Amino acid sequence: MEAFSVLVAQASDPDDLKNIEAAAGAGMAYGLAAIGPGIGIGYIVGKSVEAMARQPEAAGMVRTTMFLGIAFTEALALIGFVVFILLKFA
Amino acid sequence: MPGANPVDVVTTRFDGPAPEVAVSTDMIKRGVVVAPVLIAICGVIWGINGAWSGAYGIAIVLVNFALAAAFIATAARISLGLMMGVTLFGYLIRLALIFLAVWLVKDASWISLPALGSTIIVTHLGLLFWEMKYVALSLAYPGLKPSGSQPAA
């Protein structure tokens, strides 16, 4: 945070300031957007492994559900990523 | 002991067919089928650059699905515990690969970032919701519904 303050203080050009703010916003958007799905995927996989260990005959069903659950959860991270590329690169 | 796991997570492995590979392959087939429509829509909205970007976005999503399924299926043949680790770190690796794929082309003359981003989200979610119609999730058919069956009412 201190480094960010120093960067903002040194930026005399409004364009530089805008770039710094865009980079900081994009980084925070992507970082925060990746945390939630990370927790969600960890929870999904943990519970799925527990279910497979308790009932191995249902492992195929559990794996399919887990795969789809991971993909749906990952959509949130992808939305954050798209916000990131639009803020940072566009 | 009541509540104890009947199998060991570290040594248990699944050598049978991988349902996630079947589901992922099915999604990729559907993605290839709808790709021309999505590319055409991107072309109409964002022009020729939008069409190229749309195609690139669809490719990213399809490769992402294929990698996710391959990671899980490969690790499940070794151990359940490894599958857990590979799935979690695979998530990070795939996010990094998607970032790399976009970063490499961000300054290319043919790229349209709004088209790329929109295509990634729409293709990813669209294929997933579409696939829900074709997943059986039963003990007899843990992955896809058997071919020729009618969707349940």
Side-chain angles (χ1 to χ4, degrees), chain A residues 30 33-38 41-43 45-46 48-50 52-68 70-72 74-75 77-79 81-82 84-86 89-90, chain B residues 3 5-7 9 14 18-20 23-24 27 64-65 68-69 72-73 76 80 83-84 87-88 91 94-95 98-99 102-103 106 113-114 117 121 124-125 128-129 132 135 137-139 142-143:
Chain A
Y30 191 24
I35 290 173
I41 289 173
Y43 194 72
V45 177
S48 299
V49 168
E50 191 181 311
M52 283 185 258
R54 283 181 189 276
Q55 209 169 355
E57 67 273 14
M61 226 164 54
V62 175
R63 276 168 68 177
T64 305
T65 313
M66 181 184 81
F67 178 71
L68 291 172
I70 289 170
F72 271 111
E74 205 174 286
L78 286 179
I79 291 169
F81 175 69
V82 168
F84 167 76
I85 59 172
L86 291 179
F89 301 137
Chain B
N5 289 340
V7 293
V9 170
F14 295 108
E20 60 274 343
V23 171
S24 157
M27 278 197 287
N64 185 40
F65 280 139
I72 295 173
L80 270 183
M83 188 185 78
M84 190 155 70
T87 307
L88 288 172
Y91 164 68
R94 284 183 291 114
L95 274 187
I98 292 172
F99 175 78
V102 173
W103 186 75
K106 69 182 170 59
L113 289 173
I121 294 174
H124 187 92
L125 282 175
L128 274 174
F129 279 112
M132 296 301 287
V135 171
L137 285 182
S138 64
L139 283 176

Side-chain angles (χ1 to χ4, degrees), chain B residues 21 51 59 62 100 129 148:
Chain B
V21 172
L62 298 185
L100 187 67
F129 279 112

Side-chain angles (χ1 to χ4, degrees), chain B residues 99-122:
Chain B
F99 175 78
L100 187 67
V102 173
W103 186 75
L104 286 175
V105 299
K106 69 182 170 59
D107 295 323
S109 59
W110 51 270
I111 203 78
S112 163
L113 289 173
L116 178 67
S118 309
T119 312
I120 288 175
I121 294 174
V122 168

